[in-house]
């Protein structure tokens, strides 16, 4: 049995190779949901007039400052009914979304005007792994290859022969999954990745520290020493401290496959680096038009465009998740673990790139200045350019800085 190939996307020829120059960030029409007039959208901007971040809402293509009512996005998301409140909110106009998006690229930014930030602030940054059978198999391959990309092609063929790829209907923790586990152990092909893919406990880890995520139209980072890495296009849920899911956004759970492949204990090194967590462009709040059932049906589209002319397109279908999003949230938060400021939970991806980029059999890895576009019609498009983590803008604005800024502005 072979892995299903990535589904092809219709590619706009005007966007192919657009990895440099002012157009790489895309347009406002691409960044926003396709039903913008029916979307309740919350985000954050950096306001140079107050030298700090402000929560905003986006309505009719205009960006409105709501910091006078809610100093943090966390405060909005913790409301009993965030969607109902945001639907009635108003505030000073900061500019059009198109203008502020265009000003977000640091290489051309006017520092006297606002620019976009990631749409979350005080929420914990969490991620779930191995939630799709295809990515589970790729993690087994990483482990068996010890992070060596050159060994992966042969191991992929043999691993799929051992395990099979049609596992998406198998419920983790079920009697059938336990039966498969016993069989694989007996055959000597068991793996810790199969444990979290088939067993009762999901893999949920800390993707980054509070306030460390980046947004759209800025670089994402991979370590300079990494030689095998990739984007992970995902949906991220916005979860209240109560455990209630109140919205969603897009995410890129940047992964260093060579590092994690050497040892699963190196997961923090593989996952949590400068600019390695991208979220955005905006949070879409749940209402009667967009809810968790819509999330379960989303198709998350990926396009990678390289300066070398390389193009990679794929789709991650949320319906093929082996664990339901609500079940993952229950494993994240509850009596066993509390998050007083809520959390963002990235749900995992079925995307595990095996398309050869340079030499046959060596698969895909990023190159500098790759442009990664992650999109879903209901959530818009998250766009980032790949750089070395060591060269990305350092994370320097922490919780103490945020609190101090809000106090100076009279918002706390």
């Amino acid at each position: 049995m072979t892995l299903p190939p990535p589904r092809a996307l219709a590619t706009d020829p005007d966007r192919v190779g657009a990895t440099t120059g002012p157009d790489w960030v895309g347009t406002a029409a691409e960044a926003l949901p396709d039903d913008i007039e029916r979307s309740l959208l919350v985000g954050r901007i950096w306001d140079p007039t107050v030298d700090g971040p402000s929560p905003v809402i986006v309505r009719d293509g205009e960006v409105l400052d709501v910091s006078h009512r809610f100093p943090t996005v966390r405060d909005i998301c913790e409301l009993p009914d965030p969607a109902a409140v945001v639907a009635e909110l108003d505030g000073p106009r900061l500019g059009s979304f198109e203008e502020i998006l265009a000003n977000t690229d640091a290489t051309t930014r006017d520092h006297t005007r606002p620019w976009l930030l990631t749409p979350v602030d005080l929420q914990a940054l969490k991620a779930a792994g191995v939630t799709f059978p295809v990515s589970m198999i790729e993690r087994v391959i990483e482990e068996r290859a010890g992070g060596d990309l050159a060994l992966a092609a042969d191991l992929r063929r043999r691993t799929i022969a051992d395990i099979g790829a049609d596992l998406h209907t198998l419920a983790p923790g079920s009697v059938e999954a336990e039966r498969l586990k016993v069989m694989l152990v007996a055959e000597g092909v068991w793996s810790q990745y199969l444990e979290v893919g088939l067993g009762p406990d999901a893999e949920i880890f800390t993707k980054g520290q509070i306030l460390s995520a980046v947004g759209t139209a800025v670089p994402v980072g991979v370590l300079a020493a990494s030689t095998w890495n990739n984007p992970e296009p995902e949906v991220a849920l916005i979860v209240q401290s109560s455990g209630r899911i109140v919205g969603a956004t897009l995410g890129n759970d940047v992964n260093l496959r060579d590092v994690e492949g050497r040892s699963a204990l190196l997961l923090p090194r593989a996952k949590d680096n400068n600019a390695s967590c991208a979220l955005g462009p905006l949070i879409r709040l749940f209402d009667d038009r967009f809810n968790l059932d819509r999330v379960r049906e989303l198709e998350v589209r990926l396009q990678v465009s390289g300066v070398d002319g390389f193009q990679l397109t794929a789709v991650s279908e949320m319906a093929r998740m082996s664990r339901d999003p609500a079940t993952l949230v229950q494993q994240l938060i509850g009596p066993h673990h509390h998050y007083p400021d809520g959390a963002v939970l990235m749900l995992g991806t079925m995307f595990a790139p095996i398309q050869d980029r340079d030499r046959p059999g060596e698969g895909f890895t990023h190159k500098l200045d790759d442009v990664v576009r992650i999109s879903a019609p209901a959530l818009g498009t998250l766009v980032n350019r790949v750089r070395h983590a060591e060269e990305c803008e350092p994370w320097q604005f922490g919780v103490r800085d945020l609190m101090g800024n809000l106090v100076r502005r009279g918002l706390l």
Side-chain angles (χ1 to χ4, degrees):
M1 186 177 294
T2 58
L3 283 171
R7 288 176 47 190
L9 295 180
T11 302
D12 181 349
D14 292 334
R15 301 224 56 82
V16 173
T19 64
T20 57
D23 295 334
W24 76 271
V25 302
T27 66
E30 293 168 331
L32 294 170
D34 60 357
D35 57 346
I36 175 64
E37 70 284 352
R38 297 183 296 170
S39 304
L40 296 173
L41 302 172
V42 175
R44 288 167 69 240
I45 56 94
W46 186 270
D47 185 349
T49 66
V50 296
D51 197 27
S54 290
V56 297
I57 60 173
V58 178
R59 181 181 297 144
D60 299 325
E62 302 296 317
V63 178
L64 308 179
D65 184 349
V66 296
S67 62
H68 63 292
R69 287 282 308 278
F70 301 101
T72 68
V73 170
R74 175 266 183 205
D75 293 325
I76 297 174
C77 293
E78 285 292 308
L79 291 167
D81 191 348
V85 173
V86 165
E88 302 298 326
L89 265 183
D90 202 356
R93 180 184 182 275
L94 296 173
S96 71
F97 182 82
E98 183 175 14
E99 293 168 339
I100 292 175
L101 173 66
N103 195 47
T104 302
D105 180 2
T107 63
T108 58
R109 182 180 299 161
D110 177 352
H111 288 267
T112 67
R113 296 167 47 227
W115 60 88
L116 286 174
L117 300 172
T118 190
V120 300
D121 42 40
L122 294 178
Q123 295 93 338
L125 303 178
K126 309 294 287 189
V130 199
T131 55
F132 289 82
V134 170
S135 62
M136 176 181 68
I137 291 171
E138 282 299 308
R139 295 297 178 269
V140 174
I141 292 165
E142 287 174 11
E143 182 182 45
R144 290 187 174 191
D148 187 341
L149 187 152
L151 294 178
D154 181 59
L155 285 170
R156 184 172 293 109
R157 176 183 57 79
R158 290 190 281 120
T159 300
I160 293 170
D162 286 341
I163 300 171
D166 190 17
L167 301 174
H168 72 278
T169 61
L170 192 64
S174 66
V175 172
E176 293 79 10
E178 179 63 24
R179 189 176 297 126
L180 176 59
K181 173 181 175 179
V182 171
M183 181 193 75
L184 292 171
V185 169
E187 294 182 3
V189 295
W190 186 247
S191 162
Q192 57 202 333
Y193 293 106
L194 291 174
E195 174 61 45
V196 295
L198 299 176
D201 298 319
E203 178 193 23
I204 297 179
F205 57 92
T206 297
K207 175 59 183 177
Q209 301 306 302
I210 292 170
L211 289 175
S212 69
V214 299
T216 197
V218 296
V220 289
V222 300
L223 293 182
S226 175
T227 59
W228 186 17
N229 47 70
N230 62 255
E232 293 192 359
E234 306 187 11
V235 172
L237 298 179
I238 311 302
V239 185
Q240 288 184 338
S241 59
S242 66
R244 179 182 169 211
I245 306 167
V246 296
T249 189
L250 294 168
N252 185 353
D253 178 14
V254 180
N255 184 37
L256 309 183
R257 300 187 70 182
D258 47 356
V259 175
E260 186 180 356
R262 283 159 46 206
S263 170
L265 296 179
L266 292 173
L267 184 69
R269 180 70 168 168
K271 291 285 191 177
D272 184 3
N273 297 293
N274 187 40
S276 67
C277 176
L279 295 165
L282 301 165
I283 294 169
R284 182 167 183 176
L285 295 173
F286 284 0
D287 59 9
D288 57 358
R289 302 181 189 92
F290 181 73
N291 53 31
L292 191 58
D293 285 337
R294 287 281 307 278
V295 169
R296 292 184 175 106
E297 299 170 353
L298 288 178
E299 293 187 346
V300 181
R301 296 170 176 259
L302 171 76
Q303 180 182 26
V304 179
S305 303
V307 293
D308 56 354
F310 176 83
Q311 292 288 314
L312 185 150
T313 58
V315 172
S316 187
E317 301 174 62
M318 299 298 292
R320 296 181 68 87
M321 288 184 66
S322 58
R323 297 183 191 269
D324 186 74
T327 301
L328 290 170
V329 170
Q330 290 168 1
Q331 294 212 16
L332 166 74
I333 190 169
H336 65 290
H337 203 307
H338 303 92
Y339 294 90
D341 294 309
V344 182
L345 179 61
M346 302 172 77
L347 294 177
T349 184
M350 68 177 287
F351 174 71
I354 58 176
Q355 178 179 332
D356 291 334
R357 183 167 195 174
D358 291 320
R359 289 177 291 276
E362 292 201 357
F364 169 85
T365 192
H366 271 310
K367 293 188 178 182
L368 292 182
D369 290 320
D370 279 353
V371 170
V372 181
R373 291 183 173 86
I374 296 170
S375 63
L379 293 173
T381 303
L382 172 67
V383 185
N384 300 101
R385 179 186 287 166
V386 176
R387 301 297 301 169
H388 287 146
E390 297 89 339
E391 298 171 353
C392 293
E393 183 178 356
W395 171 45
Q396 296 178 319
F397 192 85
V399 175
R400 177 63 181 83
D401 298 294
L402 175 60
M403 296 300 108
N405 179 267
L406 294 178
V407 168
R408 289 193 298 273
R409 293 160 60 182
L411 299 178
L412 282 186

